């Protein structure tokens, strides 16, 4: 376990691969931790510097008082990469991680040379929806919405037949409630349509055909804001294709890294 002391916050992160390699940074979905990428990382090409981290209020990172703003989450990623001496990374963000990717690219193009916007959008949901979820968690904890989240995250086949499915439900319910609430509030207040439309950098969008949180059309709409961006649909996958289709996910990501000469 490694903690980066950023002064007012300590973030948990993990590095794999070659410390001198081309950096690839992964940012996780709401209610998950860096183990989200466990099945993808071993399938990536050798020679990469792979960095994963738990955003504030998640996993083993500290959970400061809520609410959080998206600017704070972007600044956390920025400070972590500065702390680690990272430049010109490919930033892979899933769901809220994709919002962080967009915000970071707008702010610090010296840090990000390419993006993977996975199961995300420039704007996810609407404030009233997120406020309702926040109230659910305040009243009943994450257990109160765990079943409906699982239906959005995973296809029926995965929920009914994958032996590891209960572990993902447990990951969600063990997320600190304040961390979930804080990040949900950050999503509610974020609309990146205008800044993202001004980005010009290599970008890959990934969607899952069974994703009920950020459906493929929503992901495609965001990807099309960025000139020259590429879109990939992973069939029979839900909101977390890195979990239910890790082989395909790693293949799509590896192809993108090769196309842009990152590695």
């Amino acid at each position: 376990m490694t903690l980066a002391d950023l002064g007012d916050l300590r973030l948990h992160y993990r590095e794999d691969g070659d410390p001198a390699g081309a950096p690839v940074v992964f940012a996780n979905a709401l209610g998950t931790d860096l183990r989200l990428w466990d099945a993808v990382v071993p399938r990536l090409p050798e020679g990469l510097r792979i960095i994963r981290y738990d955003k504030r209020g998640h996993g083993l990172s500290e959970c400061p008082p809520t609410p959080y703003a998206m600017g704070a989450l972007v600044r956390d990623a920025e400070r972590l990469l500065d702390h680690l001496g990272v430049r010109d990374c490919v930033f892979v963000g899933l769901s809220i991680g994709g919002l962080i990717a967009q915000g970071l690219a707008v702010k610090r193009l010296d840090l990000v040379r390419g993006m993977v916007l996975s199961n995300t959008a420039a704007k996810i949901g609407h404030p009233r929806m997120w406020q309702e979820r926040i109230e659910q968690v305040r009243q009943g904890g994450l257990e109160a919405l765990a079943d409906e989240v699982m239906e959005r995250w995973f296809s029926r086949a995965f929920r009914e037949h994958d032996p590891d499915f209960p572990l993902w439900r447990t990951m969600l319910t063990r997320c600190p409630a304040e961390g979930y609430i804080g990040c949900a509030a950050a999503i509610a207040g974020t609309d990146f349509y205008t800044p993202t439309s001004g980005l010009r950098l290599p970008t890959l969008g990934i969607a899952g055909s069974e994703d009920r949180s950020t459906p493929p059309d929503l992901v495609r709409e965001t990807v099309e804001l960025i000139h020259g961006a590429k879109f990939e649909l992973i069939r029979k996958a839900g909101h977390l294709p890195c979990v239910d289709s890790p082989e395909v996910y790693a293949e799509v990501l590896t192809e993108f890294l090769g196309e842009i000469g990152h590695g």
Side-chain angles (χ1 to χ4, degrees):
M1 295 186 294
T2 310
L3 288 174
D5 188 344
L6 305 181
D8 59 344
L9 176 72
R10 291 188 296 177
L11 289 183
H12 174 235
Y13 71 95
R14 172 172 174 167
E15 290 201 56
D16 295 281
D18 184 352
V24 181
V25 181
F26 291 88
N28 319 321
L30 180 66
T32 70
D33 59 43
L34 56 72
R35 292 174 293 177
L36 184 69
W37 308 101
D38 278 354
V40 170
V41 168
R43 293 179 164 92
L44 296 178
E46 294 183 0
L48 296 172
R49 181 187 181 188
I50 298 171
I51 300 167
R52 298 179 270 170
Y53 75 100
D54 293 331
K55 61 188 164 292
R56 60 170 62 201
H58 285 67
L60 300 180
S61 289
E62 289 184 336
C63 185
T66 59
Y68 308 152
M70 186 56 61
L73 300 180
V74 170
R75 189 165 60 252
D76 291 346
E78 175 187 11
R79 292 189 296 168
L80 176 64
L81 297 190
D82 281 339
H83 175 82
L84 297 175
V86 171
R87 292 292 183 275
D88 295 324
C89 77
V90 169
F91 199 101
V92 184
L94 195 152
S95 198
I96 187 176
L99 289 171
I100 294 170
Q102 293 168 70
L104 184 62
V106 168
K107 186 176 183 182
R108 293 284 304 274
L109 271 178
D110 61 315
L111 297 181
V112 184
R113 68 161 298 230
M115 290 191 302
V116 178
L117 301 180
S118 180
N119 306 82
T120 190
K123 177 179 172 63
I124 301 176
H126 51 83
R128 182 177 178 181
M129 178 199 80
W130 286 110
Q131 190 56 45
E132 289 172 354
R133 290 189 195 174
I134 288 169
E135 289 305 317
Q136 275 186 281
V137 175
R138 282 183 175 147
Q139 293 175 20
L142 280 159
E143 184 66 40
L145 49 70
D147 288 337
E148 62 182 89
V149 169
M150 292 301 104
E151 290 180 3
R152 292 194 298 269
W153 276 8
F154 298 112
S155 67
R156 179 187 293 252
F158 185 91
R159 298 196 309 271
E160 293 180 352
H161 301 297
D162 193 283
D164 289 337
F165 167 68
L167 299 177
W168 297 100
R169 191 183 189 282
T170 299
M171 177 183 285
L172 173 69
T173 58
R174 290 190 177 179
C175 176
E178 281 300 298
Y180 187 98
I181 288 170
C183 287
I187 298 172
T190 300
D191 182 343
F192 278 156
Y193 272 100
T194 297
T196 294
S197 66
L199 287 172
R200 295 294 181 268
L201 75 165
T203 300
L204 168 66
I206 298 177
S209 64
E210 310 302 312
D211 186 350
R212 294 179 55 194
S213 290
T214 51
D217 285 348
L218 183 63
V219 180
R220 188 191 297 272
E221 179 184 42
T222 295
V223 172
E224 289 178 347
L225 295 173
I226 304 169
H227 179 73
K230 179 181 177 182
F231 175 81
E232 291 283 349
L233 178 67
I234 299 181
R235 305 257 175 214
K236 299 181 180 179
H239 188 56
L240 308 178
C242 52
V243 173
D244 53 22
S245 302
E247 301 91 346
V248 179
Y249 198 97
E251 181 180 336
V252 169
L253 178 53
T254 297
E255 181 179 345
F256 175 69
L257 295 175
E259 287 174 352
I260 67 172
H262 195 78

